[in-house]
Amino acid sequence: MIDRSVTHATFTLERLYSATAARVFAAWADPEAKARWFSTPDADHELDFRVGGREINRSRPDSGPSLTFESLYRDIVPDERIVYTSVLHVGQDLATASLTTVEFRPADRGARLVLTEQGTFLDGREEPSWRRLGTGDWLDALGVGLGVGLGTGGQG
């Protein structure tokens, strides 16, 4: 029997990129660019980047059940803001449901990305600290992909 639990958590991550907000935003909007920094080569990644569009990333780790991360885009303001809701399934079980806002702001040397996620973590299948770490890793990968990462910051 599963020990049922619910954990709520909110975190904010910031990254500074020496690229324009338009270029950083484009790395989220273009399916090929997004797959390079958000997904893994062995995963199945689909992106329909529009309000009402879906993003799905399916992967099967070397050990353990499959992971399916699915997002629905709720609001998109080009070069300024993206808002999406997401669920993560571990096998057939719902592990998390969340609301994420990504803001793109001008900065002295490029663009500042501010990501805030509000999550509900169910039955111990994922911990908020794991999500925060994983999200930070793919924001770093975005910077590597752009060739322009400058720094990190933000606690939440």
Side-chain angles (χ1 to χ4, degrees):
M1 178 177 234
I2 294 175
D3 183 23
R4 300 287 180 193
S5 64
V6 177
T7 301
H8 299 278
T10 298
F11 63 84
T12 299
L13 299 173
E14 296 186 24
R15 296 294 186 272
L16 182 62
Y17 301 110
S18 62
T20 65
R23 185 166 171 225
V24 179
F25 181 90
W28 286 72
D30 178 79
E32 290 180 21
K34 179 97 186 256
R36 282 194 296 272
W37 61 268
F38 180 75
S39 191
T40 59
D42 60 335
D44 178 25
H45 181 259
E46 302 169 25
L47 175 61
D48 178 10
F49 189 77
R50 61 182 173 85
V51 173
R54 293 192 181 279
E55 180 172 15
I56 301 172
N57 195 60
R58 295 178 191 90
S59 63
R60 175 112 187 152
D62 291 337
S63 62
S66 63
L67 301 173
T68 303
F69 189 76
E70 183 175 1
S71 298
L72 177 63
Y73 289 94
R74 304 295 182 159
D75 181 60
I76 298 172
V77 178
D79 307 336
E80 294 182 26
R81 178 179 68 223
I82 303 168
V83 178
Y84 57 92
T85 54
S86 302
V87 292
L88 172 67
H89 284 89
V90 177
Q92 298 299 313
D93 298 318
L94 181 63
T96 66
S98 62
L99 169 67
T100 303
T101 303
V102 184
E103 299 170 86
F104 304 86
R105 300 177 180 165
D108 289 339
R109 299 185 307 170
R112 178 173 303 280
L113 181 148
V114 179
L115 180 147
T116 302
E117 183 167 337
Q118 300 164 285
T120 300
F121 299 82
L122 304 172
D123 305 329
R125 291 187 179 95
E126 185 180 25
E127 296 292 327
S129 62
W130 304 345
R131 176 64 66 89
R132 187 177 194 284
L133 179 63
T135 302
D137 287 348
W138 50 257
L139 290 179
D140 293 344
L142 168 60
V144 170
L146 291 169
V148 297
L150 292 177
T152 64
Q155 302 289 337

